[in-house]
Amino acid sequence: MAFVFYDTETTGVDTNFDQILQFGAIKTDGDMNELDRFEVRCRLMPHVVPSPKALQVTRITPSMLIDPAIPTYFEAIQLIHKKMSEWSPATFMGFSSVGFDDEILRREFFKSLRKPYLINTEGNSRHDALNMIKAAFAIDENVFKTELNHKGNKSMKLESLARLNGFDSSGAHGALFDTELTVKVMGLLKNKQPDLWHEYLKTKSKVVVENLIKQEKMFTINENFFGKNYLFLVAPLHPNSFMHPVYKWGQVVNLSTNIEELQKLNYQDLKKEMKKSPRFYKTIKSNKAPIILDKSLSLKVDPYKKIGINLLNKRAELMKSNEKFSQDICNILKEAAEEKMETASQEDAEPEETIYSGGFDTFNKDVPLFEKFHSSEWKERLALLDKFKDDRLVTFGHSLIFNEAPEILPKDIYKKIKRRIASRILSTNKEKWWTVSAFYSECDEIRENEDKMFSFKTVDEKLKFLDGINDYVMNLEQKYSDA
């Protein structure tokens, strides 16, 4: 199985409302030998206000945001999708990608009328290099040379790990360069822990993870608390009741817990016990590339080493045999999830936020139209949108045309889109997306704070950069002020 390592640089950290500005990827064989590479930049969409901090970290200048020589957003996503499809099937992986890069990439595909789950369907799987690194440190705290962060813990940042272990990191925070660093660091991990390497990779599939949780009596997981990595010996709940009833994630219990005493509790007392910290139960997010390892690894560390294998086996057997106890845990988890949903914000979600909550039935009915949409001219695409059933996709489609060929939009649709953009970016409220007002505030804060130098060598260099992006946003503000 081939690997595809990739990284994104974006306008900010909100996966729903920010956008990709740079994308870099490297395809390797199973032995980490490079087979191919790909890189693309794209222009900023007219409705996206960037984060000043994000632009400074990546050194993306205002001229890059509007450079006509580089692809538009729509063109760049098209190139990314094409390359990733060509490289499939593969295991897709980034550094801390499951929580961010994967999510923003899904939404970019979703908003450009493409199947969003390319990297974990149709023979593909996904993993996260940071998950593997954390597990490696939990097993051997000296697996890599590290430096301490400001809290006194080992730094798990990619640039730091690469630099301390002999790799040039001077180009860090560019998408392709960070991808190169990820390949190098993971190649080093493979060489240092060759036997564990394959164990780390086995959980790249959600189905494999769920089968392990259902079938195994006990196993090792790792977790990171306050910058420190720990191993835990856990036992899954009963095979008939081991999944969270709402979120569909596996549930296990820490075998340092006195299971026999827990199982004597009535429902209400168990409910109280489940609220205590540290929790005796743990959640394994099967679709987030967790690390599941052999029980022998945690048996070597306390408290499991002191407890002893006989008592640990007994506790694991109690979990496998007591279905009612597992059902009670799942029912309590269900009650908590339903209560959380009831108290959640009742405001209407924006279309960009509905990739998971907006329903799949209507979306799936429109999927057969995607290929024709992307093979048509813009006028034909506009007409084709009338055949779409999912209102979210129609909204995205009109926005794509607004960005790429605004002259073909009917005047009422054009004005509606422009007013929507204006209401968003000119809002003076605290919004989920970046507003012009929020941009100016952060820009001023960075300008006035001499400690915030990022990668700039002089204050004048930093101020010149800030002035440039400030001018860009002022022009954006002026453009939409009369919408």
Side-chain angles (χ1 to χ4, degrees):
M1 171 67 77
F3 293 107
V4 173
F5 295 91
Y6 83 97
D7 184 57
T8 64
E9 299 298 341
T10 62
T11 56
V13 295
D14 191 299
T15 56
N16 292 313
F17 299 106
D18 284 302
Q19 74 161 87
I20 292 174
L21 291 175
Q22 294 180 25
F23 179 90
I26 295 174
K27 182 180 181 180
T28 75
D29 62 18
D31 293 321
M32 313 289 285
N33 298 307
E34 183 173 332
L35 302 175
D36 198 4
R37 61 173 52 201
F38 171 77
E39 180 181 23
V40 68
R41 293 177 178 268
C42 76
R43 285 176 249 167
L44 192 65
M45 288 187 286
H47 66 276
V48 175
V49 177
S51 157
K53 181 179 178 180
L55 294 185
Q56 289 195 95
V57 169
T58 57
R59 301 299 297 270
I60 295 174
T61 64
S63 61
M64 294 177 187
L65 299 176
I66 56 175
D67 186 353
I70 64 175
T72 64
Y73 160 84
F74 180 78
E75 292 166 343
I77 299 304
Q78 187 175 37
L79 292 170
I80 293 169
H81 190 275
K82 182 173 184 269
K83 181 57 68 175
M84 296 180 93
S85 298
E86 288 174 359
W87 282 352
S88 301
T91 296
F92 289 83
M93 186 187 309
F95 200 90
S96 192
S97 55
V98 165
F100 183 76
D101 302 87
D102 290 6
E103 292 299 328
I104 199 166
L105 189 64
R106 283 179 175 181
R107 285 159 178 77
E108 301 288 35
F109 289 160
F110 177 50
K111 291 183 285 189
S112 61
L113 308 192
R114 300 182 183 280
K115 294 180 182 179
Y117 303 104
L118 173 62
I119 65 173
N120 64 314
T121 59
E122 300 179 19
N124 293 319
S125 57
R126 66 174 184 157
H127 216 306
D128 193 313
L130 182 58
N131 288 0
M132 296 168 70
I133 292 290
K134 287 179 177 178
F137 271 104
I139 294 164
D140 177 6
E141 63 178 12
N142 297 311
V143 62
F144 290 130
K145 293 178 183 178
T146 57
E147 60 187 351
L148 300 181
N149 59 26
H150 68 283
K151 293 184 178 179
N153 298 318
K154 292 179 182 293
S155 175
M156 298 286 139
K157 290 185 176 180
L158 176 61
E159 184 278 331
S160 174
L161 286 173
R163 173 168 41 83
L164 268 291
N165 288 276
F167 303 117
D168 177 19
S169 64
S170 57
H173 304 304
L176 187 60
F177 192 89
D178 282 357
T179 302
E180 290 178 354
L181 293 185
T182 302
V183 173
K184 290 173 181 177
V185 170
M186 297 312 287
L188 185 59
L189 176 61
K190 184 176 185 292
N191 291 333
K192 284 180 172 287
Q193 296 182 338
D195 295 333
L196 288 167
W197 173 259
H198 297 290
E199 291 296 300
Y200 296 148
L201 286 173
K202 71 184 180 185
T203 50
K204 62 187 180 181
S205 162
K206 175 185 175 183
V207 174
V208 170
V209 175
E210 291 177 352
N211 285 337
L212 283 170
I213 299 171
K214 186 174 184 178
Q215 296 168 10
E216 293 295 322
K217 181 178 175 180
M218 64 175 89
F219 49 78
T220 298
I221 62 172
N222 77 288
E223 290 186 356
N224 181 282
F225 294 107
F226 305 107
K228 296 184 183 297
N229 300 289
Y230 300 92
L231 296 177
F232 293 92
L233 184 65
V234 297
L237 272 58
H238 190 278
N240 294 338
S241 302
F242 72 97
M243 298 285 282
H244 193 294
V246 177
Y247 304 128
K248 307 302 178 186
W249 290 328
Q251 304 298 313
V252 298
V253 290
N254 187 348
L255 286 176
S256 65
T257 307
N258 189 330
I259 304 299
E260 193 168 13
E261 290 301 312
L262 271 182
Q263 292 186 349
K264 292 178 183 178
L265 298 176
N266 61 40
Y267 190 85
Q268 291 303 321
D269 287 340
L270 177 61
K271 197 171 183 178
K272 292 176 184 177
E273 195 68 26
M274 288 178 66
K275 292 181 179 180
K276 292 181 180 179
S277 182
R279 291 177 174 174
F280 70 82
Y281 67 94
K282 295 182 178 296
T283 296
I284 298 179
K285 298 180 180 181
S286 52
N287 60 340
K288 303 287 187 181
I291 303 294
I292 295 179
L293 301 167
D294 189 77
K295 63 183 180 183
S296 60
L297 292 164
S298 48
L299 287 171
K300 297 175 184 177
V301 300
D302 289 330
Y304 313 103
K305 185 178 178 181
K306 288 181 180 178
I307 295 171
I309 189 61
N310 292 334
L311 182 53
L312 293 168
N313 271 325
K314 181 182 177 182
R315 289 175 176 176
E317 286 291 345
L318 287 172
M319 289 306 306
K320 281 289 185 186
S321 60
N322 192 334
E323 185 174 357
K324 182 184 180 302
F325 179 67
S326 294
Q327 287 175 343
D328 286 346
I329 290 177
C330 287
N331 286 335
I332 292 169
L333 291 172
K334 182 181 180 182
E335 289 175 15
E338 290 174 345
E339 183 179 340
K340 184 178 180 180
M341 287 187 282
E342 287 175 4
T343 56
S345 172
Q346 297 301 307
E347 66 182 60
D348 293 335
E350 297 290 331
E352 296 93 334
E353 299 175 284
T354 62
I355 186 170
Y356 301 125
S357 62
F360 294 100
D361 291 342
T362 308
F363 175 86
N364 289 334
K365 289 177 182 176
D366 287 341
V367 167
L369 296 171
F370 287 177
E371 186 175 346
K372 187 173 182 181
F373 181 87
H374 290 288
S375 63
S376 301
E377 297 296 327
W378 283 110
K379 286 185 178 181
E380 295 171 326
R381 287 169 176 158
L382 177 61
L384 188 62
L385 288 176
D386 290 337
K387 297 183 179 180
F388 279 71
K389 306 298 181 186
D390 192 320
D391 290 339
R392 299 171 300 173
L393 298 180
V394 175
T395 297
F396 297 150
H398 284 152
S399 294
L400 292 172
I401 297 172
F402 181 88
N403 295 343
E404 300 288 326
E407 68 280 357
I408 71 167
L409 280 174
K411 287 185 178 179
D412 59 329
I413 295 178
Y414 178 89
K415 289 180 179 179
K416 180 180 178 182
I417 294 172
K418 190 173 182 180
R419 284 195 297 268
R420 186 173 72 236
I421 293 173
S423 68
R424 280 191 178 186
I425 69 172
L426 301 182
S427 171
T428 55
N429 299 325
K430 183 175 176 56
E431 303 287 1
K432 305 166 191 175
W433 50 83
W434 274 91
T435 62
V436 168
S437 174
F439 173 91
Y440 290 149
S441 294
E442 185 173 83
C443 215
D444 290 343
E445 181 188 353
I446 295 171
R447 183 181 285 109
E448 295 165 7
N449 191 330
E450 293 185 4
D451 293 332
K452 292 190 175 183
M453 287 297 295
F454 302 97
S455 55
F456 296 110
K457 295 178 181 178
T458 66
V459 173
D460 286 344
E461 185 184 359
K462 181 182 79 169
L463 294 178
K464 183 179 179 181
F465 184 93
L466 289 172
D467 288 343
I469 58 175
N470 194 80
D471 288 346
Y472 171 83
V473 173
M474 284 180 66
N475 290 333
L476 191 69
E477 180 182 22
Q478 185 175 2
K479 178 179 177 181
Y480 287 97
S481 60
D482 61 347

